[in-house]
PDB file of all heavy atoms in Angstrom:
ATOM      1  N   THR A 179     -11.409   9.312   6.121  1.00 87.00           N
ATOM      2  CA  THR A 179     -12.530   9.884   6.863  1.00 87.00           C
ATOM      3  C   THR A 179     -12.851   9.024   8.078  1.00 87.00           C
ATOM      4  O   THR A 179     -13.043   9.537   9.183  1.00 87.00           O
ATOM      5  CB  THR A 179     -13.771  10.008   5.957  1.00 87.00           C
ATOM      6  OG1 THR A 179     -13.433  10.797   4.823  1.00 87.00           O
ATOM      7  CG2 THR A 179     -14.933  10.632   6.685  1.00 87.00           C
ATOM      8  N   LEU A 180     -12.887   7.734   7.886  1.00 89.00           N
ATOM      9  CA  LEU A 180     -13.137   6.807   8.987  1.00 89.00           C
ATOM     10  C   LEU A 180     -12.004   6.870  10.007  1.00 89.00           C
ATOM     11  O   LEU A 180     -12.243   6.954  11.217  1.00 89.00           O
ATOM     12  CB  LEU A 180     -13.286   5.383   8.446  1.00 89.00           C
ATOM     13  CG  LEU A 180     -13.698   4.307   9.421  1.00 89.00           C
ATOM     14  CD1 LEU A 180     -15.096   4.564   9.971  1.00 89.00           C
ATOM     15  CD2 LEU A 180     -13.652   2.948   8.739  1.00 89.00           C
ATOM     16  N   LEU A 181     -10.782   6.876   9.530  1.00 90.00           N
ATOM     17  CA  LEU A 181      -9.636   6.945  10.430  1.00 90.00           C
ATOM     18  C   LEU A 181      -9.641   8.229  11.246  1.00 90.00           C
ATOM     19  O   LEU A 181      -9.312   8.225  12.433  1.00 90.00           O
ATOM     20  CB  LEU A 181      -8.331   6.827   9.638  1.00 90.00           C
ATOM     21  CG  LEU A 181      -8.080   5.483   8.964  1.00 90.00           C
ATOM     22  CD1 LEU A 181      -6.812   5.547   8.120  1.00 90.00           C
ATOM     23  CD2 LEU A 181      -8.000   4.360   9.978  1.00 90.00           C
ATOM     24  N   ASP A 182     -10.025   9.325  10.618  1.00 90.00           N
ATOM     25  CA  ASP A 182     -10.043  10.617  11.301  1.00 90.00           C
ATOM     26  C   ASP A 182     -10.950  10.577  12.526  1.00 90.00           C
ATOM     27  O   ASP A 182     -10.668  11.204  13.538  1.00 90.00           O
ATOM     28  CB  ASP A 182     -10.506  11.704  10.337  1.00 90.00           C
ATOM     29  CG  ASP A 182     -10.392  13.095  10.923  1.00 90.00           C
ATOM     30  OD1 ASP A 182      -9.403  13.369  11.631  1.00 90.00           O
ATOM     31  OD2 ASP A 182     -11.287  13.913  10.660  1.00 90.00           O
ATOM     32  N   GLU A 183     -12.022   9.825  12.431  1.00 90.00           N
ATOM     33  CA  GLU A 183     -12.980   9.762  13.527  1.00 90.00           C
ATOM     34  C   GLU A 183     -12.543   8.822  14.649  1.00 90.00           C
ATOM     35  O   GLU A 183     -12.904   9.025  15.806  1.00 90.00           O
ATOM     36  CB  GLU A 183     -14.339   9.316  12.993  1.00 90.00           C
ATOM     37  CG  GLU A 183     -15.442   9.373  14.015  1.00 90.00           C
ATOM     38  CD  GLU A 183     -16.806   9.131  13.422  1.00 90.00           C
ATOM     39  OE1 GLU A 183     -16.980   9.277  12.207  1.00 90.00           O
ATOM     40  OE2 GLU A 183     -17.701   8.776  14.201  1.00 90.00           O
ATOM     41  N   TYR A 184     -11.735   7.813  14.331  1.00 91.00           N
ATOM     42  CA  TYR A 184     -11.512   6.743  15.307  1.00 91.00           C
ATOM     43  C   TYR A 184     -10.077   6.522  15.770  1.00 91.00           C
ATOM     44  O   TYR A 184      -9.869   5.778  16.720  1.00 91.00           O
ATOM     45  CB  TYR A 184     -12.052   5.422  14.749  1.00 91.00           C
ATOM     46  CG  TYR A 184     -13.557   5.408  14.659  1.00 91.00           C
ATOM     47  CD1 TYR A 184     -14.191   5.603  13.447  1.00 91.00           C
ATOM     48  CD2 TYR A 184     -14.332   5.221  15.790  1.00 91.00           C
ATOM     49  CE1 TYR A 184     -15.581   5.600  13.360  1.00 91.00           C
ATOM     50  CE2 TYR A 184     -15.711   5.218  15.718  1.00 91.00           C
ATOM     51  CZ  TYR A 184     -16.334   5.410  14.500  1.00 91.00           C
ATOM     52  OH  TYR A 184     -17.700   5.418  14.418  1.00 91.00           O
ATOM     53  N   VAL A 185      -9.075   7.082  15.131  1.00 91.00           N
ATOM     54  CA  VAL A 185      -7.702   6.714  15.508  1.00 91.00           C
ATOM     55  C   VAL A 185      -6.923   7.889  16.089  1.00 91.00           C
ATOM     56  O   VAL A 185      -7.218   9.050  15.823  1.00 91.00           O
ATOM     57  CB  VAL A 185      -6.919   6.113  14.318  1.00 91.00           C
ATOM     58  CG1 VAL A 185      -7.663   4.934  13.727  1.00 91.00           C
ATOM     59  CG2 VAL A 185      -6.645   7.151  13.246  1.00 91.00           C
ATOM     60  N   ASP A 186      -5.919   7.546  16.879  1.00 90.00           N
ATOM     61  CA  ASP A 186      -5.009   8.544  17.445  1.00 90.00           C
ATOM     62  C   ASP A 186      -3.796   8.750  16.552  1.00 90.00           C
ATOM     63  O   ASP A 186      -3.312   9.865  16.400  1.00 90.00           O
ATOM     64  CB  ASP A 186      -4.520   8.111  18.827  1.00 90.00           C
ATOM     65  CG  ASP A 186      -5.649   7.980  19.827  1.00 90.00           C
ATOM     66  OD1 ASP A 186      -6.553   8.828  19.819  1.00 90.00           O
ATOM     67  OD2 ASP A 186      -5.624   7.019  20.607  1.00 90.00           O
ATOM     68  N   LYS A 187      -3.302   7.664  15.978  1.00 93.00           N
ATOM     69  CA  LYS A 187      -2.097   7.709  15.147  1.00 93.00           C
ATOM     70  C   LYS A 187      -2.315   6.899  13.881  1.00 93.00           C
ATOM     71  O   LYS A 187      -3.089   5.942  13.872  1.00 93.00           O
ATOM     72  CB  LYS A 187      -0.892   7.114  15.887  1.00 93.00           C
ATOM     73  CG  LYS A 187      -0.532   7.798  17.173  1.00 93.00           C
ATOM     74  CD  LYS A 187       0.189   9.077  16.928  1.00 93.00           C
ATOM     75  CE  LYS A 187       0.618   9.683  18.262  1.00 93.00           C
ATOM     76  NZ  LYS A 187       1.126  10.999  18.130  1.00 93.00           N
ATOM     77  N   VAL A 188      -1.597   7.274  12.813  1.00 92.00           N
ATOM     78  CA  VAL A 188      -1.625   6.509  11.568  1.00 92.00           C
ATOM     79  C   VAL A 188      -0.194   6.139  11.194  1.00 92.00           C
ATOM     80  O   VAL A 188       0.755   6.850  11.515  1.00 92.00           O
ATOM     81  CB  VAL A 188      -2.288   7.286  10.398  1.00 92.00           C
ATOM     82  CG1 VAL A 188      -3.745   7.530  10.669  1.00 92.00           C
ATOM     83  CG2 VAL A 188      -1.569   8.590  10.109  1.00 92.00           C
ATOM     84  N   LEU A 189      -0.078   5.001  10.541  1.00 92.00           N
ATOM     85  CA  LEU A 189       1.197   4.533  10.018  1.00 92.00           C
ATOM     86  C   LEU A 189       1.007   4.352   8.522  1.00 92.00           C
ATOM     87  O   LEU A 189       0.123   3.609   8.104  1.00 92.00           O
ATOM     88  CB  LEU A 189       1.591   3.203  10.671  1.00 92.00           C
ATOM     89  CG  LEU A 189       2.811   2.484  10.091  1.00 92.00           C
ATOM     90  CD1 LEU A 189       4.068   3.309  10.297  1.00 92.00           C
ATOM     91  CD2 LEU A 189       2.960   1.116  10.747  1.00 92.00           C
ATOM     92  N   PHE A 190       1.790   5.049   7.731  1.00 87.00           N
ATOM     93  CA  PHE A 190       1.695   4.959   6.276  1.00 87.00           C
ATOM     94  C   PHE A 190       2.903   4.184   5.782  1.00 87.00           C
ATOM     95  O   PHE A 190       4.047   4.564   6.038  1.00 87.00           O
ATOM     96  CB  PHE A 190       1.652   6.349   5.668  1.00 87.00           C
ATOM     97  CG  PHE A 190       1.501   6.382   4.173  1.00 87.00           C
ATOM     98  CD1 PHE A 190       0.624   5.530   3.516  1.00 87.00           C
ATOM     99  CD2 PHE A 190       2.229   7.281   3.421  1.00 87.00           C
ATOM    100  CE1 PHE A 190       0.478   5.562   2.144  1.00 87.00           C
ATOM    101  CE2 PHE A 190       2.092   7.326   2.043  1.00 87.00           C
ATOM    102  CZ  PHE A 190       1.223   6.467   1.395  1.00 87.00           C
ATOM    103  N   ILE A 191       2.643   3.070   5.106  1.00 85.00           N
ATOM    104  CA  ILE A 191       3.698   2.209   4.575  1.00 85.00           C
ATOM    105  C   ILE A 191       3.576   2.179   3.059  1.00 85.00           C
ATOM    106  O   ILE A 191       2.480   2.008   2.527  1.00 85.00           O
ATOM    107  CB  ILE A 191       3.565   0.779   5.137  1.00 85.00           C
ATOM    108  CG1 ILE A 191       3.701   0.804   6.661  1.00 85.00           C
ATOM    109  CG2 ILE A 191       4.595  -0.154   4.505  1.00 85.00           C
ATOM    110  CD1 ILE A 191       3.396  -0.506   7.325  1.00 85.00           C
ATOM    111  N   ASP A 192       4.682   2.338   2.365  1.00 80.00           N
ATOM    112  CA  ASP A 192       4.716   2.268   0.907  1.00 80.00           C
ATOM    113  C   ASP A 192       5.919   1.434   0.496  1.00 80.00           C
ATOM    114  O   ASP A 192       7.036   1.697   0.946  1.00 80.00           O
ATOM    115  CB  ASP A 192       4.808   3.681   0.313  1.00 80.00           C
ATOM    116  CG  ASP A 192       4.710   3.700  -1.193  1.00 80.00           C
ATOM    117  OD1 ASP A 192       3.990   2.851  -1.761  1.00 80.00           O
ATOM    118  OD2 ASP A 192       5.344   4.568  -1.817  1.00 80.00           O
ATOM    119  N   GLN A 193       5.672   0.424  -0.332  1.00 83.00           N
ATOM    120  CA  GLN A 193       6.745  -0.458  -0.803  1.00 83.00           C
ATOM    121  C   GLN A 193       7.549  -1.035   0.365  1.00 83.00           C
ATOM    122  O   GLN A 193       8.780  -1.042   0.359  1.00 83.00           O
ATOM    123  CB  GLN A 193       7.673   0.299  -1.771  1.00 83.00           C
ATOM    124  CG  GLN A 193       6.987   0.843  -3.007  1.00 83.00           C
ATOM    125  CD  GLN A 193       6.453  -0.263  -3.911  1.00 83.00           C
ATOM    126  OE1 GLN A 193       7.114  -1.267  -4.106  1.00 83.00           O
ATOM    127  NE2 GLN A 193       5.251  -0.075  -4.425  1.00 83.00           N
ATOM    128  N   HIS A 194       6.841  -1.480   1.399  1.00 91.00           N
ATOM    129  CA  HIS A 194       7.440  -2.125   2.573  1.00 91.00           C
ATOM    130  C   HIS A 194       8.290  -1.183   3.413  1.00 91.00           C
ATOM    131  O   HIS A 194       9.071  -1.635   4.250  1.00 91.00           O
ATOM    132  CB  HIS A 194       8.261  -3.353   2.179  1.00 91.00           C
ATOM    133  CG  HIS A 194       7.529  -4.285   1.281  1.00 91.00           C
ATOM    134  ND1 HIS A 194       6.535  -5.121   1.744  1.00 91.00           N
ATOM    135  CD2 HIS A 194       7.604  -4.494  -0.051  1.00 91.00           C
ATOM    136  CE1 HIS A 194       6.058  -5.815   0.736  1.00 91.00           C
ATOM    137  NE2 HIS A 194       6.685  -5.462  -0.367  1.00 91.00           N
TER     138      HIS A 194
END
Side-chain angles (χ1 to χ4, degrees):
T179 303
L180 186 64
L181 294 175
D182 187 39
E183 187 171 340
Y184 291 102
V185 305
D186 298 320
K187 301 283 184 189
V188 295
L189 172 64
F190 182 42
I191 299 172
D192 186 33
Q193 300 295 319
H194 310 285

